[in-house]
Amino acid sequence: MARHHIVVHYHELWLKGGNRRFFLGRLITALRKSLADVGLEKMRCPGDRIILELAEGTPVEPALARIERVLGVANFAVAKEVPREDADRELSALCGAAMEEVTPAEFRSFAVRAKRADKTFPLRSSEIEVVVGRHILESLRAAGREVRVDLNSPELTCRVEVMKNSVLVYARKLPGAGGMPANTAGRLTCLLSGGFDSAVAAYKMMRRGAHVSFVHFWGAGAKPGESSIHIARDLVRKLVPYQFTAKLFLVPFEPLQREIVDKAPENFRILLYRRLMLRIA
C-alpha cells in the first residue's frame, strides 16, 4: 500500500530572525504530539516546509484533521510521491502525477512551481516547470478544456518538490490554523463565561502563542441542572487540543453574589461582581 506524504507550510515564523529555531522547534513538537497516534513515521524539514510521512497503509484523513488545529501551520497538502529513478521514466511519472493532481480541479489558468532540495536532479527548477507545464497544458486542451498558463496570478498552482529519494507533487492546499505555535508566548488566565466571547478571546490568544488557563465562576441555577459548569467544561474540551494541556478552575460565586446584593447599591453590583472575579483570577 502507498505511503501518504503531507507537506506543511508556515510563514510567520520566518519573521522571528534569531529566534526562528525556537519557534520552529515548538511547531515540530506540536506536530509530533498531534500525530503521535495516527501513524506518523518520519518528519523532515527541507527549507521552508515540513514533510510528514505516514506509515504504510495509514489512512490520511485522521492526520489531516489533527494538522488543521496545529497552531503555526499556514497551509498543508497531501502530495503524490514519485520515486527517483532514471531521468526519462522519472519525468514521465512526474508529468502523470501532476495530471492526476490538477485534473479534478476546476480552473482556467495555472502555473507550475518547482523546488530542488536535491541539486543532483538532472533538470533545473525552471526546466521542470516548463516540462510539466507543457504536459498539463497540452493534455487538458486535448481533453477539451480551455486553460492557459498564468505565471503571475494563476487560479491553480501545481507544486513540484524534488527530494533526495523522491519527488512530491501537489496542487490542492488546505488552510491551517495560522498564528504562532502553541506555548511560545508565556501564560495567561482567561475568565471563561458560558458564552461565546470569552472562548473566542482565549482562542485568539492561543493563536498568538499564549498558554491559557481558565477560571469559571459559577452559581446554582434557578432550577436543577442549570449550573454553567458543564458548559465551561465543554468549552475547555474544545479549546485544549490547540495547546495540548489546560487547567480549568471552578469558583463557586453565589455566596459572594449574595453578600454584594445584601450590602451594595444595585447600580454597583455588576461592577463589584467583575472586580471580585478579576481579583480572584
mmCIF file with all atom_site columns, all heavy atoms in Angstrom, residues 176-187:
data_model
loop_
_atom_site.group_PDB
_atom_site.id
_atom_site.type_symbol
_atom_site.label_atom_id
_atom_site.label_alt_id
_atom_site.label_comp_id
_atom_site.label_asym_id
_atom_site.label_entity_id
_atom_site.label_seq_id
_atom_site.pdbx_PDB_ins_code
_atom_site.Cartn_x
_atom_site.Cartn_y
_atom_site.Cartn_z
_atom_site.occupancy
_atom_site.B_iso_or_equiv
_atom_site.pdbx_formal_charge
_atom_site.auth_seq_id
_atom_site.auth_comp_id
_atom_site.auth_asym_id
_atom_site.auth_atom_id
_atom_site.pdbx_PDB_model_num
ATOM 1  N N   . GLY A 1 176 ? -4.455 26.033 7.180  1.00 0.00 ? 176 GLY A N   1
ATOM 2  C CA  . GLY A 1 176 ? -4.140 25.678 8.556  1.00 0.00 ? 176 GLY A CA  1
ATOM 3  C C   . GLY A 1 176 ? -4.693 26.694 9.534  1.00 0.00 ? 176 GLY A C   1
ATOM 4  O O   . GLY A 1 176 ? -5.358 27.660 9.150  1.00 0.00 ? 176 GLY A O   1
ATOM 5  N N   . ALA A 1 177 ? -4.398 26.491 10.813 1.00 0.00 ? 177 ALA A N   1
ATOM 6  C CA  . ALA A 1 177 ? -4.910 27.393 11.846 1.00 0.00 ? 177 ALA A CA  1
ATOM 7  C C   . ALA A 1 177 ? -4.179 28.727 11.854 1.00 0.00 ? 177 ALA A C   1
ATOM 8  O O   . ALA A 1 177 ? -4.710 29.729 12.343 1.00 0.00 ? 177 ALA A O   1
ATOM 9  C CB  . ALA A 1 177 ? -4.791 26.724 13.218 1.00 0.00 ? 177 ALA A CB  1
ATOM 10 N N   . GLY A 1 178 ? -2.956 28.778 11.317 1.00 0.00 ? 178 GLY A N   1
ATOM 11 C CA  . GLY A 1 178 ? -2.202 30.019 11.286 1.00 0.00 ? 178 GLY A CA  1
ATOM 12 C C   . GLY A 1 178 ? -1.677 30.403 12.656 1.00 0.00 ? 178 GLY A C   1
ATOM 13 O O   . GLY A 1 178 ? -1.662 29.613 13.600 1.00 0.00 ? 178 GLY A O   1
ATOM 14 N N   . GLY A 1 179 ? -1.252 31.663 12.773 1.00 0.00 ? 179 GLY A N   1
ATOM 15 C CA  . GLY A 1 179 ? -0.766 32.160 14.044 1.00 0.00 ? 179 GLY A CA  1
ATOM 16 C C   . GLY A 1 179 ? 0.625  31.655 14.395 1.00 0.00 ? 179 GLY A C   1
ATOM 17 O O   . GLY A 1 179 ? 1.416  31.285 13.522 1.00 0.00 ? 179 GLY A O   1
ATOM 18 N N   . MET A 1 180 ? 0.911  31.635 15.698 1.00 0.00 ? 180 MET A N   1
ATOM 19 C CA  . MET A 1 180 ? 2.200  31.181 16.208 1.00 0.00 ? 180 MET A CA  1
ATOM 20 C C   . MET A 1 180 ? 2.038  29.819 16.882 1.00 0.00 ? 180 MET A C   1
ATOM 21 O O   . MET A 1 180 ? 0.945  29.493 17.361 1.00 0.00 ? 180 MET A O   1
ATOM 22 C CB  . MET A 1 180 ? 2.743  32.188 17.224 1.00 0.00 ? 180 MET A CB  1
ATOM 23 C CG  . MET A 1 180 ? 2.933  33.585 16.654 1.00 0.00 ? 180 MET A CG  1
ATOM 24 S SD  . MET A 1 180 ? 4.059  33.610 15.238 1.00 0.00 ? 180 MET A SD  1
ATOM 25 C CE  . MET A 1 180 ? 5.561  33.018 15.997 1.00 0.00 ? 180 MET A CE  1
ATOM 26 N N   . PRO A 1 181 ? 3.093  29.017 16.930 1.00 0.00 ? 181 PRO A N   1
ATOM 27 C CA  . PRO A 1 181 ? 2.989  27.697 17.572 1.00 0.00 ? 181 PRO A CA  1
ATOM 28 C C   . PRO A 1 181 ? 2.576  27.812 19.034 1.00 0.00 ? 181 PRO A C   1
ATOM 29 O O   . PRO A 1 181 ? 2.827  28.817 19.702 1.00 0.00 ? 181 PRO A O   1
ATOM 30 C CB  . PRO A 1 181 ? 4.414  27.128 17.443 1.00 0.00 ? 181 PRO A CB  1
ATOM 31 C CG  . PRO A 1 181 ? 5.011  27.862 16.293 1.00 0.00 ? 181 PRO A CG  1
ATOM 32 C CD  . PRO A 1 181 ? 4.425  29.239 16.336 1.00 0.00 ? 181 PRO A CD  1
ATOM 33 N N   . ALA A 1 182 ? 1.938  26.760 19.532 1.00 0.00 ? 182 ALA A N   1
ATOM 34 C CA  . ALA A 1 182 ? 1.460  26.747 20.912 1.00 0.00 ? 182 ALA A CA  1
ATOM 35 C C   . ALA A 1 182 ? 2.623  26.870 21.897 1.00 0.00 ? 182 ALA A C   1
ATOM 36 O O   . ALA A 1 182 ? 3.724  26.380 21.651 1.00 0.00 ? 182 ALA A O   1
ATOM 37 C CB  . ALA A 1 182 ? 0.680  25.457 21.176 1.00 0.00 ? 182 ALA A CB  1
ATOM 38 N N   . ASN A 1 183 ? 2.351  27.548 23.007 1.00 0.00 ? 183 ASN A N   1
ATOM 39 C CA  . ASN A 1 183 ? 3.284  27.632 24.132 1.00 0.00 ? 183 ASN A CA  1
ATOM 40 C C   . ASN A 1 183 ? 4.588  28.355 23.786 1.00 0.00 ? 183 ASN A C   1
ATOM 41 O O   . ASN A 1 183 ? 5.671  27.945 24.194 1.00 0.00 ? 183 ASN A O   1
ATOM 42 C CB  . ASN A 1 183 ? 3.589  26.232 24.680 1.00 0.00 ? 183 ASN A CB  1
ATOM 43 C CG  . ASN A 1 183 ? 2.339  25.456 25.005 1.00 0.00 ? 183 ASN A CG  1
ATOM 44 O OD1 . ASN A 1 183 ? 1.380  26.000 25.550 1.00 0.00 ? 183 ASN A OD1 1
ATOM 45 N ND2 . ASN A 1 183 ? 2.323  24.172 24.654 1.00 0.00 ? 183 ASN A ND2 1
ATOM 46 N N   . THR A 1 184 ? 4.478  29.453 23.042 1.00 0.00 ? 184 THR A N   1
ATOM 47 C CA  . THR A 1 184 ? 5.662  30.239 22.689 1.00 0.00 ? 184 THR A CA  1
ATOM 48 C C   . THR A 1 184 ? 5.606  31.659 23.231 1.00 0.00 ? 184 THR A C   1
ATOM 49 O O   . THR A 1 184 ? 6.528  32.431 22.988 1.00 0.00 ? 184 THR A O   1
ATOM 50 C CB  . THR A 1 184 ? 5.831  30.304 21.154 1.00 0.00 ? 184 THR A CB  1
ATOM 51 O OG1 . THR A 1 184 ? 4.635  30.822 20.556 1.00 0.00 ? 184 THR A OG1 1
ATOM 52 C CG2 . THR A 1 184 ? 6.134  28.938 20.571 1.00 0.00 ? 184 THR A CG2 1
ATOM 53 N N   . ALA A 1 185 ? 4.549  32.029 23.945 1.00 0.00 ? 185 ALA A N   1
ATOM 54 C CA  . ALA A 1 185 ? 4.406  33.433 24.357 1.00 0.00 ? 185 ALA A CA  1
ATOM 55 C C   . ALA A 1 185 ? 3.925  33.575 25.793 1.00 0.00 ? 185 ALA A C   1
ATOM 56 O O   . ALA A 1 185 ? 3.126  34.451 26.101 1.00 0.00 ? 185 ALA A O   1
ATOM 57 C CB  . ALA A 1 185 ? 3.458  34.160 23.410 1.00 0.00 ? 185 ALA A CB  1
ATOM 58 N N   . GLY A 1 186 ? 4.383  32.724 26.698 1.00 0.00 ? 186 GLY A N   1
ATOM 59 C CA  . GLY A 1 186 ? 4.036  32.889 28.094 1.00 0.00 ? 186 GLY A CA  1
ATOM 60 C C   . GLY A 1 186 ? 2.661  32.346 28.439 1.00 0.00 ? 186 GLY A C   1
ATOM 61 O O   . GLY A 1 186 ? 2.012  31.683 27.631 1.00 0.00 ? 186 GLY A O   1
ATOM 62 N N   . ARG A 1 187 ? 2.210  32.685 29.660 1.00 0.00 ? 187 ARG A N   1
ATOM 63 C CA  . ARG A 1 187 ? 0.966  32.119 30.188 1.00 0.00 ? 187 ARG A CA  1
ATOM 64 C C   . ARG A 1 187 ? -0.029 33.228 30.503 1.00 0.00 ? 187 ARG A C   1
ATOM 65 O O   . ARG A 1 187 ? 0.342  34.298 30.979 1.00 0.00 ? 187 ARG A O   1
ATOM 66 C CB  . ARG A 1 187 ? 1.248  31.297 31.451 1.00 0.00 ? 187 ARG A CB  1
ATOM 67 C CG  . ARG A 1 187 ? 2.095  30.067 31.169 1.00 0.00 ? 187 ARG A CG  1
ATOM 68 C CD  . ARG A 1 187 ? 2.411  29.303 32.444 1.00 0.00 ? 187 ARG A CD  1
ATOM 69 N NE  . ARG A 1 187 ? 3.136  28.086 32.140 1.00 0.00 ? 187 ARG A NE  1
ATOM 70 C CZ  . ARG A 1 187 ? 2.564  26.924 31.861 1.00 0.00 ? 187 ARG A CZ  1
ATOM 71 N NH1 . ARG A 1 187 ? 1.249  26.815 31.868 1.00 0.00 ? 187 ARG A NH1 1
ATOM 72 N NH2 . ARG A 1 187 ? 3.287  25.859 31.587 1.00 0.00 ? 187 ARG A NH2 1
#
